[in-house]
């Protein structure tokens, strides 16, 4: 190892790494300053110091342009891993008492409703009252990113392929159908044929792209010969539900999630009613993460439930 490389960890101000990580995640120096409650020149100065310390340009800063360099991307990945490791320290240091302690961080895509997950969560929290939890909602891509970067204990999300280096297990399956709201012309019809949906405008999830996790839902819309261009898009299930109810367009939603809305006459399911797409919700974890006692126990409780409960029982209608 060269002398410069030996001195580097001793000369580096570790706070600069945290600042750099926020700059990348906020996609800009001014937004990072707002996030951290600091002034913009302070952030700019910190970034310049980090670039001088590393000997690499990390971010290209031009008017109306923000771009992370290859060196910056590599450093960001390492910063995230460091942040994930440091964030585990309180839970790791809590071990050794008479009662299990620690913190479990769960990041999930919006509105995952699983009675089996909820039951595990309930039983575990009852058995270990000293363990705390945090649940954060994010897009599926961000869920995978946080698990890959070792910034959460586990994640719940949609996947179109299993990410390299991660473990993904099917938690449950959702069945999607097409729905309209009470302002739609078909809502009060005595009977509705599939042909009645031809050319109708639609709203969709951002993950309804070709080869994406919700591609089967896109095929359902094509089967009904609805308008191919969407009128509204979101990554949040509740906001998609809002757009359906306000008649921006017809949307595909999980049957079990909107069951109460159908009973309350807030939504109506539309044809087709057979051969509906089934979408897997995955439990994702990072095998390389050094688990605290609480994290290991909770993951084992989840895997035990998955082994003991048949997938048919975890397929929600």
């Amino acid at each position: 190892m060269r002398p410069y490389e030996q001195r580097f960890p001793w000369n580096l101000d570790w706070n600069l790494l945290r600042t750099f990580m926020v700059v990348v995640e906020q996609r800009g120096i001014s937004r990072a300053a707002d996030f951290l409650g600091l002034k913009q020149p302070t952030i700019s100065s910190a970034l310049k110091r980090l670039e001088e310390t590393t000997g690499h340009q990390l971010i290209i800063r031009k008017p109306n342009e923000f771009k992370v360099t290859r060196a910056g991307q590599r450093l960001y990945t390492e910063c995230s891993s460091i942040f994930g490791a440091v964030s585990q320290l309180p839970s790791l240091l809590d071990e050794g008492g008479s009662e299990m302690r620690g913190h479990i961080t769960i990041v999930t895509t919006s509105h995952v409703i699983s009675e089996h997950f909820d039951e595990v969560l309930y039983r575990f929290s009852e058995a270990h009252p000293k363990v705390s939890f945090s649940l954060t909602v994010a897009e599926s891509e961000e869920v995978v990113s946080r698990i890959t970067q070792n910034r959460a204990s586990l994640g719940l999300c949609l996947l179109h392929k299993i990410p390299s280096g991660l473990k993904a297990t099917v938690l449950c399956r959702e069945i999607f159908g097409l729905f309209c709201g009470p302002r739609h012309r078909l809502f009060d019809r005595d009977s509705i044929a599939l042909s009645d949906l031809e050319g109708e405008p639609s709203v969709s999830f951002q993950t309804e792209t070709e080869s994406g996790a919700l591609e089967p839902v896109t095929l359902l819309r094509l089967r009904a010969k609805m308008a191919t261009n969407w009128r509204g898009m979101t990554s949040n299930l509740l906001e998609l539900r809002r757009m359906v109810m306000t008649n921006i367009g017809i949307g595909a939603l999980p049957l079990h999630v909107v069951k109460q809305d159908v009973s309350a006459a807030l939504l109506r399911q539309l044809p087709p009613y057979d051969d509906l797409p089934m979408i897997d919700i995955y439990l994702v974890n990072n095998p390389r993460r050094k688990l605290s006692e609480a994290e290991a126990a909770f993951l084992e409780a989840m895997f035990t439930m998955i082994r003991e409960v048949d997938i048919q029982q975890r397929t929600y209608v």
Side-chain angles (χ1 to χ4, degrees):
M1 182 180 289
R2 292 172 295 180
Y4 163 76
E5 294 173 337
Q6 291 177 323
R7 294 193 304 270
F8 180 79
W10 300 99
N11 294 337
L12 176 66
D13 181 349
W14 291 81
N15 286 323
L16 299 179
L17 297 180
R18 172 176 170 267
T19 301
F20 171 70
M21 190 173 73
V22 174
V23 169
V24 174
E25 292 178 347
Q26 295 296 315
R27 302 293 301 172
I29 291 175
S30 60
R31 280 182 285 187
D34 291 339
F35 182 87
L36 293 171
L38 300 172
K39 294 183 178 180
Q40 188 171 333
T42 303
I43 302 297
S44 297
S45 175
L47 183 57
K48 183 179 179 181
R49 287 171 55 205
L50 183 60
E51 289 180 327
E52 291 173 349
T53 303
T54 59
H56 293 276
Q57 183 178 15
L58 303 174
I59 293 175
I60 298 173
R61 302 180 292 284
K62 296 180 180 179
N64 301 319
E65 181 181 1
F66 177 88
K67 184 178 180 181
V68 183
T69 65
R70 289 184 64 184
Q73 289 286 2
R74 184 61 186 270
L75 181 61
Y76 173 73
T77 299
E78 296 303 319
C79 286
S80 297
S81 297
I82 293 169
F83 181 85
V86 172
S87 68
Q88 288 182 263
L89 290 178
S91 292
L92 295 173
L93 295 174
D94 269 341
E95 295 177 8
S98 57
E99 290 186 88
M100 185 185 295
R101 297 173 180 268
H103 186 76
I104 297 172
T105 305
I106 301 170
V107 56
T108 175
T109 189
S110 75
H111 224 62
V112 172
I113 296 182
S114 166
E115 60 189 69
H116 295 94
F117 173 70
D118 291 351
E119 182 66 18
V120 173
L121 199 59
Y122 163 71
R123 291 182 179 277
F124 191 90
S125 63
E126 286 290 301
H128 307 291
K130 299 295 185 181
V131 175
S132 59
F133 296 84
S134 61
L135 284 89
T136 304
V137 176
E139 296 181 26
S140 290
E141 185 177 340
E142 176 65 15
V143 173
V144 171
S145 177
R146 293 196 190 191
I147 299 301
T148 300
Q149 295 168 1
N150 198 27
R151 295 172 61 186
S153 310
L154 59 107
L156 307 177
C157 65
L158 305 170
L159 296 174
H160 68 276
K161 65 177 181 179
I162 306 302
S164 176
L166 299 185
K167 180 178 180 180
T169 311
V170 176
L171 169 66
C172 60
R173 284 179 177 154
E174 300 180 328
I175 298 177
F176 278 70
L178 296 174
F179 292 86
C180 71
R183 296 176 176 86
H184 195 276
R185 64 181 183 84
L186 297 176
F187 190 84
D188 293 320
R189 285 268 192 96
D190 291 333
S191 62
I192 303 173
L194 183 60
S195 58
D196 291 327
L197 275 63
E198 186 171 347
E200 282 289 321
S202 64
V203 294
S204 68
F205 290 103
Q206 290 179 351
T207 44
E208 285 186 50
T209 57
E210 186 177 354
S211 300
L214 287 177
E215 183 184 10
V217 175
T218 301
L219 298 178
L220 176 66
R221 186 176 290 105
L222 293 175
R223 179 180 166 192
K225 297 182 179 179
M226 298 171 61
T228 54
N229 56 319
W230 47 264
R231 197 177 174 204
M233 180 175 285
T234 180
S235 61
N236 188 289
L237 188 147
L238 291 180
E239 295 309 318
L240 188 76
R241 169 180 172 269
R242 185 200 304 273
M243 287 193 286
V244 173
M245 287 182 174
T246 55
N247 203 30
I248 293 175
I250 291 171
L253 294 161
L255 302 186
H256 76 293
V257 173
V258 298
K259 187 176 293 186
Q260 290 186 343
D261 290 328
V262 173
S263 298
L266 297 174
L267 291 172
R268 178 172 178 178
Q269 187 177 356
L270 302 170
Y273 305 110
D274 59 341
D275 298 324
L276 296 176
M278 288 194 298
I279 304 298
D280 290 338
I281 303 293
Y282 286 88
L283 165 64
V284 182
N285 67 289
N286 191 337
R288 298 185 299 276
R289 182 179 177 87
K290 182 175 175 57
L291 298 175
S292 67
E293 181 185 12
E295 289 175 322
F298 185 77
L299 274 171
E300 181 54 34
M302 289 296 301
F303 292 139
T304 297
M305 179 276 292
I306 290 171
R307 287 193 300 268
E308 294 178 350
V309 180
D310 188 84
I311 186 58
Q312 295 302 321
Q313 294 177 257
R314 291 181 279 119
T315 300
Y316 304 132
V317 180

